[in-house]
PDB file of all heavy atoms in Angstrom:
ATOM      1  N   LEU A 210     -11.420  56.426  -9.484  1.00 84.00           N
ATOM      2  CA  LEU A 210     -12.007  57.214  -8.389  1.00 84.00           C
ATOM      3  C   LEU A 210     -11.694  58.698  -8.558  1.00 84.00           C
ATOM      4  O   LEU A 210     -12.519  59.553  -8.260  1.00 84.00           O
ATOM      5  CB  LEU A 210     -11.492  56.714  -7.051  1.00 84.00           C
ATOM      6  CG  LEU A 210     -11.888  55.279  -6.701  1.00 84.00           C
ATOM      7  CD1 LEU A 210     -11.179  54.847  -5.410  1.00 84.00           C
ATOM      8  CD2 LEU A 210     -13.380  55.159  -6.556  1.00 84.00           C
ATOM      9  N   HIS A 211     -10.515  58.997  -9.039  1.00 85.00           N
ATOM     10  CA  HIS A 211     -10.126  60.395  -9.302  1.00 85.00           C
ATOM     11  C   HIS A 211     -11.070  61.030 -10.305  1.00 85.00           C
ATOM     12  O   HIS A 211     -11.595  62.137 -10.086  1.00 85.00           O
ATOM     13  CB  HIS A 211      -8.680  60.448  -9.779  1.00 85.00           C
ATOM     14  CG  HIS A 211      -8.224  61.799 -10.208  1.00 85.00           C
ATOM     15  ND1 HIS A 211      -7.960  62.814  -9.310  1.00 85.00           N
ATOM     16  CD2 HIS A 211      -8.015  62.308 -11.447  1.00 85.00           C
ATOM     17  CE1 HIS A 211      -7.605  63.894  -9.981  1.00 85.00           C
ATOM     18  NE2 HIS A 211      -7.616  63.616 -11.274  1.00 85.00           N
ATOM     19  N   TYR A 212     -11.293  60.367 -11.433  1.00 87.00           N
ATOM     20  CA  TYR A 212     -12.203  60.883 -12.438  1.00 87.00           C
ATOM     21  C   TYR A 212     -13.631  60.987 -11.909  1.00 87.00           C
ATOM     22  O   TYR A 212     -14.365  61.908 -12.260  1.00 87.00           O
ATOM     23  CB  TYR A 212     -12.181  60.012 -13.691  1.00 87.00           C
ATOM     24  CG  TYR A 212     -11.025  60.260 -14.614  1.00 87.00           C
ATOM     25  CD1 TYR A 212     -10.228  59.218 -15.052  1.00 87.00           C
ATOM     26  CD2 TYR A 212     -10.715  61.532 -15.084  1.00 87.00           C
ATOM     27  CE1 TYR A 212      -9.147  59.440 -15.894  1.00 87.00           C
ATOM     28  CE2 TYR A 212      -9.648  61.762 -15.907  1.00 87.00           C
ATOM     29  CZ  TYR A 212      -8.856  60.722 -16.333  1.00 87.00           C
ATOM     30  OH  TYR A 212      -7.811  60.930 -17.169  1.00 87.00           O
ATOM     31  N   ALA A 213     -14.045  60.034 -11.101  1.00 89.00           N
ATOM     32  CA  ALA A 213     -15.399  60.031 -10.554  1.00 89.00           C
ATOM     33  C   ALA A 213     -15.634  61.268  -9.698  1.00 89.00           C
ATOM     34  O   ALA A 213     -16.772  61.749  -9.589  1.00 89.00           O
ATOM     35  CB  ALA A 213     -15.650  58.778  -9.770  1.00 89.00           C
ATOM     36  N   GLY A 214     -14.573  61.819  -9.117  1.00 89.00           N
ATOM     37  CA  GLY A 214     -14.699  63.022  -8.290  1.00 89.00           C
ATOM     38  C   GLY A 214     -15.237  64.228  -9.049  1.00 89.00           C
ATOM     39  O   GLY A 214     -15.884  65.088  -8.481  1.00 89.00           O
ATOM     40  N   TYR A 215     -14.979  64.266 -10.342  1.00 89.00           N
ATOM     41  CA  TYR A 215     -15.493  65.375 -11.174  1.00 89.00           C
ATOM     42  C   TYR A 215     -17.001  65.445 -11.179  1.00 89.00           C
ATOM     43  O   TYR A 215     -17.588  66.499 -11.384  1.00 89.00           O
ATOM     44  CB  TYR A 215     -15.026  65.247 -12.614  1.00 89.00           C
ATOM     45  CG  TYR A 215     -13.542  65.445 -12.834  1.00 89.00           C
ATOM     46  CD1 TYR A 215     -12.863  64.594 -13.688  1.00 89.00           C
ATOM     47  CD2 TYR A 215     -12.837  66.445 -12.205  1.00 89.00           C
ATOM     48  CE1 TYR A 215     -11.515  64.752 -13.903  1.00 89.00           C
ATOM     49  CE2 TYR A 215     -11.478  66.619 -12.403  1.00 89.00           C
ATOM     50  CZ  TYR A 215     -10.813  65.769 -13.272  1.00 89.00           C
ATOM     51  OH  TYR A 215      -9.482  65.922 -13.464  1.00 89.00           O
ATOM     52  N   TYR A 216     -17.659  64.303 -10.976  1.00 92.00           N
ATOM     53  CA  TYR A 216     -19.106  64.229 -11.153  1.00 92.00           C
ATOM     54  C   TYR A 216     -19.851  64.158  -9.819  1.00 92.00           C
ATOM     55  O   TYR A 216     -21.031  63.819  -9.810  1.00 92.00           O
ATOM     56  CB  TYR A 216     -19.442  63.013 -12.037  1.00 92.00           C
ATOM     57  CG  TYR A 216     -18.655  63.068 -13.307  1.00 92.00           C
ATOM     58  CD1 TYR A 216     -17.594  62.222 -13.529  1.00 92.00           C
ATOM     59  CD2 TYR A 216     -18.964  64.001 -14.299  1.00 92.00           C
ATOM     60  CE1 TYR A 216     -16.830  62.306 -14.685  1.00 92.00           C
ATOM     61  CE2 TYR A 216     -18.214  64.093 -15.459  1.00 92.00           C
ATOM     62  CZ  TYR A 216     -17.138  63.231 -15.650  1.00 92.00           C
ATOM     63  OH  TYR A 216     -16.395  63.328 -16.789  1.00 92.00           O
ATOM     64  N   GLN A 217     -19.180  64.509  -8.722  1.00 91.00           N
ATOM     65  CA  GLN A 217     -19.817  64.426  -7.413  1.00 91.00           C
ATOM     66  C   GLN A 217     -20.999  65.369  -7.263  1.00 91.00           C
ATOM     67  O   GLN A 217     -21.975  65.032  -6.581  1.00 91.00           O
ATOM     68  CB  GLN A 217     -18.794  64.667  -6.309  1.00 91.00           C
ATOM     69  CG  GLN A 217     -17.902  63.459  -6.093  1.00 91.00           C
ATOM     70  CD  GLN A 217     -18.703  62.193  -5.863  1.00 91.00           C
ATOM     71  OE1 GLN A 217     -19.514  62.079  -4.949  1.00 91.00           O
ATOM     72  NE2 GLN A 217     -18.517  61.201  -6.753  1.00 91.00           N
ATOM     73  N   ASP A 218     -20.989  66.528  -7.896  1.00 92.00           N
ATOM     74  CA  ASP A 218     -22.120  67.416  -7.833  1.00 92.00           C
ATOM     75  C   ASP A 218     -23.361  66.784  -8.456  1.00 92.00           C
ATOM     76  O   ASP A 218     -24.458  66.868  -7.923  1.00 92.00           O
ATOM     77  CB  ASP A 218     -21.847  68.754  -8.516  1.00 92.00           C
ATOM     78  CG  ASP A 218     -20.987  69.675  -7.671  1.00 92.00           C
ATOM     79  OD1 ASP A 218     -20.892  69.440  -6.442  1.00 92.00           O
ATOM     80  OD2 ASP A 218     -20.404  70.613  -8.231  1.00 92.00           O
ATOM     81  N   SER A 219     -23.158  66.116  -9.599  1.00 92.00           N
ATOM     82  CA  SER A 219     -24.280  65.434 -10.265  1.00 92.00           C
ATOM     83  C   SER A 219     -24.782  64.285  -9.394  1.00 92.00           C
ATOM     84  O   SER A 219     -26.001  64.071  -9.278  1.00 92.00           O
ATOM     85  CB  SER A 219     -23.861  64.900 -11.634  1.00 92.00           C
ATOM     86  OG  SER A 219     -23.447  65.959 -12.473  1.00 92.00           O
ATOM     87  N   VAL A 220     -23.870  63.534  -8.806  1.00 92.00           N
ATOM     88  CA  VAL A 220     -24.236  62.426  -7.941  1.00 92.00           C
ATOM     89  C   VAL A 220     -25.040  62.935  -6.745  1.00 92.00           C
ATOM     90  O   VAL A 220     -26.102  62.386  -6.397  1.00 92.00           O
ATOM     91  CB  VAL A 220     -22.994  61.636  -7.452  1.00 92.00           C
ATOM     92  CG1 VAL A 220     -23.349  60.631  -6.396  1.00 92.00           C
ATOM     93  CG2 VAL A 220     -22.329  60.944  -8.633  1.00 92.00           C
ATOM     94  N   ARG A 221     -24.573  64.010  -6.131  1.00 94.00           N
ATOM     95  CA  ARG A 221     -25.264  64.580  -4.985  1.00 94.00           C
ATOM     96  C   ARG A 221     -26.657  65.080  -5.337  1.00 94.00           C
ATOM     97  O   ARG A 221     -27.642  64.819  -4.676  1.00 94.00           O
ATOM     98  CB  ARG A 221     -24.426  65.724  -4.390  1.00 94.00           C
ATOM     99  CG  ARG A 221     -25.028  66.373  -3.144  1.00 94.00           C
ATOM    100  CD  ARG A 221     -24.188  67.506  -2.597  1.00 94.00           C
ATOM    101  NE  ARG A 221     -23.567  68.355  -3.592  1.00 94.00           N
ATOM    102  CZ  ARG A 221     -24.179  69.309  -4.298  1.00 94.00           C
ATOM    103  NH1 ARG A 221     -25.476  69.537  -4.102  1.00 94.00           N
ATOM    104  NH2 ARG A 221     -23.526  70.055  -5.136  1.00 94.00           N
ATOM    105  N   GLN A 222     -26.743  65.807  -6.469  1.00 93.00           N
ATOM    106  CA  GLN A 222     -28.038  66.337  -6.896  1.00 93.00           C
ATOM    107  C   GLN A 222     -29.044  65.233  -7.193  1.00 93.00           C
ATOM    108  O   GLN A 222     -30.206  65.307  -6.808  1.00 93.00           O
ATOM    109  CB  GLN A 222     -27.859  67.262  -8.112  1.00 93.00           C
ATOM    110  CG  GLN A 222     -27.198  68.565  -7.755  1.00 93.00           C
ATOM    111  CD  GLN A 222     -26.832  69.370  -8.965  1.00 93.00           C
ATOM    112  OE1 GLN A 222     -26.856  68.906 -10.100  1.00 93.00           O
ATOM    113  NE2 GLN A 222     -26.523  70.648  -8.745  1.00 93.00           N
ATOM    114  N   LEU A 223     -28.586  64.201  -7.897  1.00 92.00           N
ATOM    115  CA  LEU A 223     -29.511  63.118  -8.223  1.00 92.00           C
ATOM    116  C   LEU A 223     -29.914  62.357  -6.961  1.00 92.00           C
ATOM    117  O   LEU A 223     -31.072  61.983  -6.813  1.00 92.00           O
ATOM    118  CB  LEU A 223     -28.869  62.172  -9.231  1.00 92.00           C
ATOM    119  CG  LEU A 223     -29.825  61.168  -9.875  1.00 92.00           C
ATOM    120  CD1 LEU A 223     -30.948  61.901 -10.638  1.00 92.00           C
ATOM    121  CD2 LEU A 223     -29.082  60.250 -10.803  1.00 92.00           C
ATOM    122  N   SER A 224     -28.971  62.131  -6.053  1.00 92.00           N
ATOM    123  CA  SER A 224     -29.315  61.395  -4.819  1.00 92.00           C
ATOM    124  C   SER A 224     -30.288  62.190  -3.951  1.00 92.00           C
ATOM    125  O   SER A 224     -31.029  61.616  -3.150  1.00 92.00           O
ATOM    126  CB  SER A 224     -28.042  61.058  -4.040  1.00 92.00           C
ATOM    127  OG  SER A 224     -27.447  62.219  -3.544  1.00 92.00           O
ATOM    128  N   GLN A 225     -30.294  63.522  -4.103  1.00 94.00           N
ATOM    129  CA  GLN A 225     -31.230  64.355  -3.344  1.00 94.00           C
ATOM    130  C   GLN A 225     -32.550  64.570  -4.091  1.00 94.00           C
ATOM    131  O   GLN A 225     -33.403  65.326  -3.664  1.00 94.00           O
ATOM    132  CB  GLN A 225     -30.606  65.706  -3.019  1.00 94.00           C
ATOM    133  CG  GLN A 225     -29.437  65.608  -2.084  1.00 94.00           C
ATOM    134  CD  GLN A 225     -28.706  66.924  -1.892  1.00 94.00           C
ATOM    135  OE1 GLN A 225     -28.970  67.903  -2.591  1.00 94.00           O
ATOM    136  NE2 GLN A 225     -27.757  66.952  -0.951  1.00 94.00           N
ATOM    137  N   GLY A 226     -32.671  63.941  -5.263  1.00 93.00           N
ATOM    138  CA  GLY A 226     -33.918  64.040  -6.027  1.00 93.00           C
ATOM    139  C   GLY A 226     -33.998  65.251  -6.947  1.00 93.00           C
ATOM    140  O   GLY A 226     -35.069  65.511  -7.494  1.00 93.00           O
ATOM    141  N   HIS A 227     -32.882  65.947  -7.128  1.00 94.00           N
ATOM    142  CA  HIS A 227     -32.897  67.131  -8.012  1.00 94.00           C
ATOM    143  C   HIS A 227     -32.530  66.706  -9.420  1.00 94.00           C
ATOM    144  O   HIS A 227     -31.425  66.990  -9.915  1.00 94.00           O
ATOM    145  CB  HIS A 227     -31.916  68.173  -7.489  1.00 94.00           C
ATOM    146  CG  HIS A 227     -32.166  68.590  -6.065  1.00 94.00           C
ATOM    147  ND1 HIS A 227     -33.212  69.412  -5.734  1.00 94.00           N
ATOM    148  CD2 HIS A 227     -31.514  68.294  -4.930  1.00 94.00           C
ATOM    149  CE1 HIS A 227     -33.191  69.636  -4.419  1.00 94.00           C
ATOM    150  NE2 HIS A 227     -32.178  68.940  -3.911  1.00 94.00           N
ATOM    151  N   VAL A 228     -33.464  66.042 -10.102  1.00 93.00           N
ATOM    152  CA  VAL A 228     -33.196  65.466 -11.415  1.00 93.00           C
ATOM    153  C   VAL A 228     -32.899  66.564 -12.447  1.00 93.00           C
ATOM    154  O   VAL A 228     -31.934  66.468 -13.242  1.00 93.00           O
ATOM    155  CB  VAL A 228     -34.385  64.582 -11.879  1.00 93.00           C
ATOM    156  CG1 VAL A 228     -34.157  64.047 -13.278  1.00 93.00           C
ATOM    157  CG2 VAL A 228     -34.583  63.451 -10.897  1.00 93.00           C
ATOM    158  N   LEU A 229     -33.705  67.605 -12.463  1.00 90.00           N
ATOM    159  CA  LEU A 229     -33.514  68.683 -13.462  1.00 90.00           C
ATOM    160  C   LEU A 229     -32.158  69.349 -13.295  1.00 90.00           C
ATOM    161  O   LEU A 229     -31.450  69.607 -14.265  1.00 90.00           O
ATOM    162  CB  LEU A 229     -34.631  69.691 -13.345  1.00 90.00           C
ATOM    163  CG  LEU A 229     -34.642  70.810 -14.392  1.00 90.00           C
ATOM    164  CD1 LEU A 229     -34.724  70.211 -15.806  1.00 90.00           C
ATOM    165  CD2 LEU A 229     -35.767  71.797 -14.159  1.00 90.00           C
ATOM    166  N   GLU A 230     -31.754  69.574 -12.066  1.00 89.00           N
ATOM    167  CA  GLU A 230     -30.450  70.170 -11.809  1.00 89.00           C
ATOM    168  C   GLU A 230     -29.336  69.246 -12.283  1.00 89.00           C
ATOM    169  O   GLU A 230     -28.342  69.673 -12.868  1.00 89.00           O
ATOM    170  CB  GLU A 230     -30.254  70.500 -10.329  1.00 89.00           C
ATOM    171  CG  GLU A 230     -31.092  71.693  -9.850  1.00 89.00           C
ATOM    172  CD  GLU A 230     -32.509  71.294  -9.479  1.00 89.00           C
ATOM    173  OE1 GLU A 230     -32.920  70.133  -9.696  1.00 89.00           O
ATOM    174  OE2 GLU A 230     -33.241  72.175  -8.967  1.00 89.00           O
ATOM    175  N   ALA A 231     -29.482  67.948 -12.018  1.00 89.00           N
ATOM    176  CA  ALA A 231     -28.478  66.989 -12.444  1.00 89.00           C
ATOM    177  C   ALA A 231     -28.418  66.904 -13.968  1.00 89.00           C
ATOM    178  O   ALA A 231     -27.338  66.676 -14.532  1.00 89.00           O
ATOM    179  CB  ALA A 231     -28.764  65.597 -11.859  1.00 89.00           C
ATOM    180  N   LEU A 232     -29.524  67.093 -14.637  1.00 90.00           N
ATOM    181  CA  LEU A 232     -29.554  67.062 -16.096  1.00 90.00           C
ATOM    182  C   LEU A 232     -29.000  68.307 -16.761  1.00 90.00           C
ATOM    183  O   LEU A 232     -28.753  68.322 -17.950  1.00 90.00           O
ATOM    184  CB  LEU A 232     -30.993  66.829 -16.612  1.00 90.00           C
ATOM    185  CG  LEU A 232     -31.453  65.386 -16.695  1.00 90.00           C
ATOM    186  CD1 LEU A 232     -32.944  65.339 -16.958  1.00 90.00           C
ATOM    187  CD2 LEU A 232     -30.678  64.650 -17.778  1.00 90.00           C
TER     188      LEU A 232
END
Side-chain angles (χ1 to χ4, degrees):
L210 296 173
H211 173 74
Y212 280 128
Y215 292 138
Y216 307 105
Q217 283 308 300
D218 283 342
S219 299
V220 170
R221 181 180 39 77
Q222 288 172 346
L223 192 61
S224 67
Q225 294 173 352
H227 304 286
V228 176
L229 185 59
E230 289 84 354
L232 273 170

